[in-house]
Amino acid sequence: VGHEPMPPTIGTNVLGRKVLYLPSFFTYAKYIVQVDGKIGLFRGLSPRLMSNALSTVTRGSMKKVFPPDEIEQVSNKDDMKTSLKKVVKETSYEMMMQCVSRMLAHPLHVISMRCMVQFVGREAKYSGVLSSIGKIFKEEGLLGFFVGLIPHLLGDVVFLWGCNLLAHFINAYLVDDS
């Protein structure tokens, strides 16, 4: 979130030049323990776990309701056009699953992020899942649970398509099946 509670340290890189380094994870964790105690390290964990569980259950349910078509293995015999169609079909199916599960789990992601970020401002507004739901609904309405959904979805979709197409082109042009 752009908050740096500790200054960077001066060090040297591989080439021997002086550079500034941000503190490591362990340094930040030690700082959080000093400020908030060990419980501060786990702030926002329960809504995050609930978000992941909801996403997993959603994906499993969707696979039952909308089973994927028989996915054939792409081989050297397939021409580029046919194998690319298969990749597009599989990626579209994965994208649908990702978008629906992200939309359902996003409110819990928002709660988790707000619980973690309040460390920066030393607030104590969001403490539990149920109380956070009440506060967000009271102050921002239903749309408050979906703040940042569009960039999150766009990031997921671009990453999914990028990875799957890159893997396809690497397998098609750089990897020999023999």
Side-chain angles (χ1 to χ4, degrees):
V1 294
H3 174 66
E4 292 295 334
M6 293 173 275
T9 58
I10 297 174
T12 55
N13 65 6
V14 178
L15 302 174
R17 293 175 41 191
K18 296 228 181 263
V19 292
L20 293 176
Y21 288 108
L22 291 174
S24 68
F25 165 78
F26 297 106
T27 307
Y28 282 129
K30 185 178 175 184
Y31 176 74
I32 291 171
V33 169
Q34 287 174 349
V35 174
D36 274 356
K38 289 182 182 173
I39 197 76
L41 294 173
F42 300 99
R43 194 179 301 265
L45 179 63
S46 59
R48 181 64 182 189
L49 292 175
M50 291 170 69
S51 172
N52 288 350
L54 180 61
S55 182
T56 301
V57 168
T58 301
R59 285 174 165 276
S61 299
M62 285 185 62
K63 281 185 180 177
K64 289 178 185 173
V65 174
F66 303 106
D69 297 337
E70 281 298 315
I71 298 172
E72 303 165 21
Q73 287 296 101
V74 177
S75 67
N76 278 345
K77 295 176 185 174
D78 293 329
D79 63 352
M80 189 64 190
K81 199 173 187 179
T82 306
S83 64
L84 186 59
K85 283 182 182 180
K86 290 176 187 176
V87 170
V88 167
K89 187 175 181 181
E90 292 169 11
T91 305
S92 297
Y93 180 77
E94 289 177 41
M95 182 183 70
M96 179 205 48
M97 302 267 288
Q98 179 67 24
C99 287
V100 171
S101 68
R102 173 70 66 207
M103 285 189 295
L104 290 176
H106 192 73
L108 290 166
H109 175 75
V110 168
I111 292 169
S112 175
M113 291 305 297
R114 290 183 182 193
C115 288
M116 289 184 262
V117 169
Q118 70 184 353
F119 173 82
V120 174
R122 304 306 314 143
E123 302 161 340
K125 189 174 183 179
Y126 305 103
S127 55
V129 176
L130 294 177
S131 65
S132 297
I133 289 172
K135 284 180 183 145
I136 292 172
F137 188 74
K138 181 181 174 186
E139 294 174 6
E140 301 173 50
L142 195 57
L143 292 179
F145 293 106
F146 297 97
V147 171
L149 176 64
I150 300 300
H152 213 164
L153 283 174
L154 285 174
D156 286 348
V157 168
V158 168
F159 185 75
L160 179 67
W161 279 97
C163 287
N164 284 0
L165 289 174
L166 182 64
H168 168 71
F169 289 122
I170 287 172
N171 288 334
Y173 290 114
L174 299 177
V175 177
D176 186 19
D177 283 350
S178 61

